[in-house]
Amino acid sequence: MGLLTFRKRAEPASVKGGIEGFLAGYSIEVMPRTAAKVEDFRALLPEGTRVYIAHIDGTPIDDMVGTARRLAADGFEVMPHFPARIIRDKAMLADWIARYQGEADVRGGLILAGGVAEPRGDFHSSMQLLETGLFDGAGFDRLHVAGHPEGNRDIDPEGEAQVMQAARWKQDFAERTDAAMALVTQFAFEAAPVVDWTRRLHAAGVGLPVHVGIAGPARLQTLIKYAVACGVGPSLRVLQKRAMDVTKLVMPYEPTGLVAELAALKAADPAFPVAQVHLFPLGGITQSAEWAAAHGGASALPAARAV
């Protein structure tokens, strides 16, 4: 279920029609260095698209703020990452928030632990950043946090007990803050891990909207590299199985089948907590934006991003 889809000359109208509404209001992730290669985002993305800016360890805050300023000026909703483990202290966090707001009118962020093994300062988790009260104090109206359908080896190397405990804490925090909250997941290549994870969240009393991470069009070798680096489990096994077929190894991957399956689940059960798609442009921003536009993403409207 939800196996990889490789590019074909044409897709049935039923597939395209089935995912148009599901893709409306999709978000996308960029980095300062990848964003710098895009001449005009307005030619690629629907007006008002929510654009996350990934803060990779070593990226200067000046580059992050500059990218945020450019995207905001072009009319996009900017959501920079705030990785706890690379933020030295509360003063640094306050400075980042002030700069994003003062220079790019940023009102939201993705709050996460970050990909480094050892904290560089006082923080090691997204919960500690939220507990500072700085985001609420600055009037942030959207606070998203990370979700891990296939686990998080940095927190729970052999399970998800601590991840689920953190999810319940975030649910409680969502009830205390005025900001809209959602879980933004790591990319997946199968529907089953996402569906099973949402069921476990429900059983744990977590009802936050889920923005499911989807890898955009890319070469299979590129996807395997990112999957290994990010610790994607079941999905990595699917990729490796597909890589054994030499004919498919050289063909570009597209997420159409997976998105169609998730869209069908949402259509059959409106209570299915996956609220929208978040694109990881692993094969390039242009390729992901063009794929989304070809499948209905260009019809995105600000009202579609209400959760």
Side-chain angles (χ1 to χ4, degrees):
M1 61 186 302
L3 298 181
L4 300 182
T5 300
F6 291 83
R7 187 172 297 164
K8 301 176 182 179
R9 292 185 179 181
E11 293 162 358
S14 59
V15 172
K16 180 177 178 180
I19 65 177
E20 282 184 351
F22 191 63
L23 268 177
Y26 75 89
S27 58
I28 194 167
E29 185 162 302
V30 304
M31 295 179 286
R33 62 178 177 83
T34 57
K37 299 176 183 178
V38 176
E39 183 175 348
D40 186 358
F41 275 95
R42 294 169 297 182
L44 291 177
L45 303 177
E47 182 180 358
T49 296
R50 183 179 299 140
V51 183
Y52 294 73
I53 308 175
H55 196 148
I56 307 303
D57 185 29
T59 304
I61 187 62
D62 288 347
D63 292 355
M64 291 290 299
V65 174
T67 303
R69 184 170 57 245
R70 173 194 174 189
L71 290 166
D74 283 346
F76 298 106
E77 180 185 346
V78 181
M79 291 276 288
H81 288 195
F82 288 87
R85 294 178 186 174
I86 67 171
I87 298 175
R88 184 179 61 250
D89 51 28
K90 189 173 179 178
M92 176 180 279
L93 176 60
D95 177 65
W96 285 15
I97 291 172
R99 290 196 60 184
Y100 279 126
Q101 286 197 326
E103 299 183 41
D105 195 28
V106 168
R107 299 292 167 180
L110 176 61
I111 320 303
L112 68 169
V116 300
E118 297 296 328
R120 306 289 168 75
D122 296 340
F123 306 114
H124 64 79
S125 72
S126 60
M127 294 175 287
Q128 289 178 314
L129 293 186
L130 293 170
E131 283 179 328
T132 65
L134 291 174
F135 295 105
D136 283 326
F140 270 44
D141 57 19
R142 186 170 295 281
L143 295 171
H144 289 179
V145 289
H148 305 280
E150 300 183 28
N152 185 332
R153 64 188 181 189
D154 290 337
I155 301 174
D156 283 333
E158 299 180 5
E160 65 173 11
Q162 293 183 65
V163 171
M164 278 297 173
Q165 183 179 1
R168 287 192 294 270
W169 185 96
K170 293 165 186 175
Q171 175 68 48
D172 292 340
F173 182 84
E175 296 168 5
R176 304 195 305 268
T177 180
D178 292 331
M181 292 191 69
L183 291 164
V184 183
T185 80
Q186 183 54 275
F187 55 84
F189 300 99
E190 280 192 296
V194 176
V195 173
D196 292 344
W197 175 69
T198 61
R199 289 172 178 163
R200 295 195 301 275
L201 286 174
H202 178 74
V206 178
L208 295 174
V210 172
H211 296 194
V212 64
I214 300 293
R219 297 167 61 227
L220 185 56
Q221 299 97 317
T222 299
L223 299 179
I224 291 174
K225 179 185 73 173
Y226 279 107
V228 170
C230 296
V232 175
S235 291
L236 175 59
R237 289 193 289 272
V238 172
L239 291 177
Q240 291 171 328
K241 182 178 179 180
R242 288 284 175 165
M244 295 175 66
D245 186 336
V246 176
T247 63
K248 293 179 179 177
L249 183 62
V250 298
M251 296 174 67
Y253 155 83
E254 290 187 350
T256 311
L258 171 58
V259 174
E261 184 173 356
L262 291 168
L265 290 168
K266 183 69 174 181
D269 179 12
F272 183 46
V274 173
Q276 71 177 71
V277 169
H278 176 58
L279 282 176
F280 288 88
L282 304 183
I285 297 169
T286 298
Q287 292 90 327
S288 288
E290 290 178 346
W291 173 85
H295 293 85
S299 62
L301 296 172
R305 294 187 299 278
V307 293

